[in-house]
Amino acid sequence: MKGVLEFAQAKVQGHKLVMVTAYDYPSAYFAEQAGVDLILVGDSVGMVVLGHDSTVPVTMDDMVRHTQAVRRGATDTFIVGDLPFWSTSSVACAVERAGRLVQEGGCHAVKLEGGRNVAVHVEAIVRAGVPVCGHIGLTPQSATALGGFRVQGKTAAQARALLEDAKSLEAAGAFMVVLECVPIPLARVITERLHIPTIGIGAGPHCDGQVLVWHDLLGMYPRQAPKFVYRYADLGTLATKGIATFAEQVRQGTFPGAEQGFVMDEEELARALNPPV
Ligand code: KIV
């Protein structure tokens, strides 16, 4: 299994890192079979699995439960667990939650959203012994404050602020930082100026790696996918077709067939229906 040292080395050697989200046993299993470098148990679980409109309702119990399932499905891949909304309400809360996600959930590192405002939290978690991945740009937990799900860092002032955020996360000890919905040239500059790897999502090709949400990548989310998504498979359509065929066969009486059933000695059945008195 690759770890934080290999991720740092990958940046130096120019090897792109691949991260994908997963939320349960099968999604983690298939991600590991596909050979990704890292799995993120994202709080996007709230939207793509639980059907909420945002990630805000996701709780620590949700994250622990899903992280445990991912760990069972991917036993040999580095797993990053997302700290849900309100985790940075205090440093003590962030440290406590990070410890819980590692100890109960079984992940190897945690991710939290924010820049300079959470540097002190990152520092404390790292000091407590848990690797931290930062997340700046569009930070979905604070999308309301950011004016919705939109590109971040387009003005000079915003771009400078994001660069400072990235540098302060690095200085606080983060081993990696996710850049979400950041213009391509700004993501390139941030990537060049950091020693730790950047993982882009809607941040162009110059990041040290890329992450996509499992359900977006595989066409499993029925709502509109963001512009930066490329759909590599259409499992949603396949699933609908498969279930429709099942329904048709049940209604026609062609499923189950003899090969899906279990036989029994007719005499045993006769004895059951006419027991000796
Ligand atoms: O929760 C999540 O899936 C994420 C990714 C979009 C980076 O934070």
mmCIF file of all heavy atoms in Angstrom, residues 21 40 42-44 82 111 135 178 180 201 211 213, ligand 1:
data_model
loop_
_atom_site.group_PDB
_atom_site.id
_atom_site.type_symbol
_atom_site.label_atom_id
_atom_site.label_comp_id
_atom_site.label_asym_id
_atom_site.label_seq_id
_atom_site.Cartn_x
_atom_site.Cartn_y
_atom_site.Cartn_z
ATOM 1 N N THR A 21 -13.551 8.615 -4.788
ATOM 2 C CA THR A 21 -14.317 8.456 -3.563
ATOM 3 C C THR A 21 -14.929 7.056 -3.551
ATOM 4 O O THR A 21 -15.079 6.408 -4.593
ATOM 5 C CB THR A 21 -15.467 9.484 -3.446
ATOM 6 O OG1 THR A 21 -16.453 9.202 -4.444
ATOM 7 C CG2 THR A 21 -14.963 10.903 -3.567
ATOM 8 N N LEU A 40 -11.019 8.225 -1.087
ATOM 9 C CA LEU A 40 -11.568 9.241 -0.185
ATOM 10 C C LEU A 40 -12.991 8.843 0.196
ATOM 11 O O LEU A 40 -13.840 8.674 -0.679
ATOM 12 C CB LEU A 40 -11.597 10.608 -0.884
ATOM 13 C CG LEU A 40 -12.374 11.709 -0.158
ATOM 14 C CD1 LEU A 40 -11.704 12.079 1.174
ATOM 15 C CD2 LEU A 40 -12.496 12.957 -1.036
ATOM 16 N N GLY A 42 -15.656 10.472 1.092
ATOM 17 C CA GLY A 42 -16.040 11.885 1.101
ATOM 18 C C GLY A 42 -17.369 12.095 1.811
ATOM 19 O O GLY A 42 -18.223 11.200 1.840
ATOM 20 N N ASP A 43 -17.543 13.302 2.352
ATOM 21 C CA ASP A 43 -18.865 13.602 2.913
ATOM 22 C C ASP A 43 -19.859 13.855 1.783
ATOM 23 O O ASP A 43 -21.048 14.070 2.025
ATOM 24 C CB ASP A 43 -18.809 14.763 3.921
ATOM 25 C CG ASP A 43 -18.382 16.078 3.284
ATOM 26 O OD1 ASP A 43 -17.981 16.071 2.103
ATOM 27 O OD2 ASP A 43 -18.452 17.116 3.975
ATOM 28 N N SER A 44 -19.384 13.760 0.519
ATOM 29 C CA SER A 44 -20.299 13.745 -0.624
ATOM 30 C C SER A 44 -21.259 12.563 -0.496
ATOM 31 O O SER A 44 -22.270 12.503 -1.201
ATOM 32 C CB SER A 44 -19.511 13.666 -1.935
ATOM 33 O OG SER A 44 -18.534 12.653 -1.873
ATOM 34 N N ASP A 82 -13.291 11.842 5.464
ATOM 35 C CA ASP A 82 -13.651 13.271 5.482
ATOM 36 C C ASP A 82 -14.223 13.662 6.844
ATOM 37 O O ASP A 82 -15.118 12.973 7.359
ATOM 38 C CB ASP A 82 -14.734 13.497 4.418
ATOM 39 C CG ASP A 82 -14.465 14.707 3.563
ATOM 40 O OD1 ASP A 82 -13.527 15.462 3.865
ATOM 41 O OD2 ASP A 82 -15.208 14.880 2.577
ATOM 42 N N LYS A 111 -9.453 14.306 5.993
ATOM 43 C CA LYS A 111 -9.477 15.521 5.178
ATOM 44 C C LYS A 111 -10.400 16.514 5.859
ATOM 45 O O LYS A 111 -11.429 16.124 6.424
ATOM 46 C CB LYS A 111 -9.997 15.212 3.767
ATOM 47 C CG LYS A 111 -10.159 16.462 2.896
ATOM 48 C CD LYS A 111 -10.421 16.120 1.452
ATOM 49 C CE LYS A 111 -11.869 15.851 1.122
ATOM 50 N NZ LYS A 111 -12.804 16.958 1.439
ATOM 51 N N HIS A 135 -8.298 20.937 1.959
ATOM 52 C CA HIS A 135 -9.285 21.053 0.868
ATOM 53 C C HIS A 135 -9.662 22.533 0.751
ATOM 54 O O HIS A 135 -10.286 23.087 1.664
ATOM 55 C CB HIS A 135 -10.514 20.204 1.220
ATOM 56 C CG HIS A 135 -11.587 20.185 0.165
ATOM 57 N ND1 HIS A 135 -12.581 19.224 0.133
ATOM 58 C CD2 HIS A 135 -11.844 20.993 -0.892
ATOM 59 C CE1 HIS A 135 -13.395 19.450 -0.885
ATOM 60 N NE2 HIS A 135 -12.967 20.534 -1.521
ATOM 61 N N VAL A 178 -6.480 19.143 -1.548
ATOM 62 C CA VAL A 178 -7.443 19.064 -2.660
ATOM 63 C C VAL A 178 -7.768 20.490 -3.105
ATOM 64 O O VAL A 178 -8.045 21.362 -2.276
ATOM 65 C CB VAL A 178 -8.739 18.333 -2.213
ATOM 66 C CG1 VAL A 178 -9.843 18.494 -3.258
ATOM 67 C CG2 VAL A 178 -8.462 16.862 -1.948
ATOM 68 N N GLU A 180 -10.505 22.333 -5.313
ATOM 69 C CA GLU A 180 -11.792 22.086 -5.986
ATOM 70 C C GLU A 180 -12.279 23.355 -6.665
ATOM 71 O O GLU A 180 -12.357 24.429 -6.050
ATOM 72 C CB GLU A 180 -12.833 21.585 -4.964
ATOM 73 C CG GLU A 180 -14.190 21.326 -5.622
ATOM 74 C CD GLU A 180 -15.160 20.506 -4.784
ATOM 75 O OE1 GLU A 180 -14.794 20.063 -3.689
ATOM 76 O OE2 GLU A 180 -16.293 20.322 -5.257
ATOM 77 N N ILE A 201 -9.921 18.676 -8.502
ATOM 78 C CA ILE A 201 -11.268 18.268 -8.945
ATOM 79 C C ILE A 201 -11.872 19.552 -9.514
ATOM 80 O O ILE A 201 -12.130 20.504 -8.793
ATOM 81 C CB ILE A 201 -12.106 17.617 -7.826
ATOM 82 C CG1 ILE A 201 -13.539 17.333 -8.307
ATOM 83 C CG2 ILE A 201 -12.111 18.403 -6.514
ATOM 84 C CD1 ILE A 201 -14.291 16.309 -7.496
ATOM 85 N N VAL A 211 -9.068 13.691 -8.441
ATOM 86 C CA VAL A 211 -10.078 12.923 -7.733
ATOM 87 C C VAL A 211 -11.428 13.149 -8.411
ATOM 88 O O VAL A 211 -11.703 14.243 -8.914
ATOM 89 C CB VAL A 211 -10.159 13.313 -6.238
ATOM 90 C CG1 VAL A 211 -10.458 14.773 -6.010
ATOM 91 C CG2 VAL A 211 -11.198 12.455 -5.489
ATOM 92 N N VAL A 213 -15.741 11.888 -7.877
ATOM 93 C CA VAL A 213 -16.742 11.200 -7.062
ATOM 94 C C VAL A 213 -17.207 9.957 -7.831
ATOM 95 O O VAL A 213 -17.534 10.042 -9.031
ATOM 96 C CB VAL A 213 -17.914 12.164 -6.763
ATOM 97 C CG1 VAL A 213 -19.122 11.419 -6.202
ATOM 98 C CG2 VAL A 213 -17.455 13.262 -5.799
HETATM 99 O O1 KIV B 1 -16.662 14.808 -0.272
HETATM 100 C C1 KIV B 1 -16.033 14.643 -1.339
HETATM 101 O O2 KIV B 1 -16.301 13.757 -2.138
HETATM 102 C C2 KIV B 1 -14.951 15.575 -1.623
HETATM 103 C C3 KIV B 1 -14.359 15.535 -2.993
HETATM 104 C C4 KIV B 1 -15.258 16.236 -3.933
HETATM 105 C C5 KIV B 1 -12.979 16.064 -3.020
HETATM 106 O O3 KIV B 1 -14.591 16.359 -0.796
#
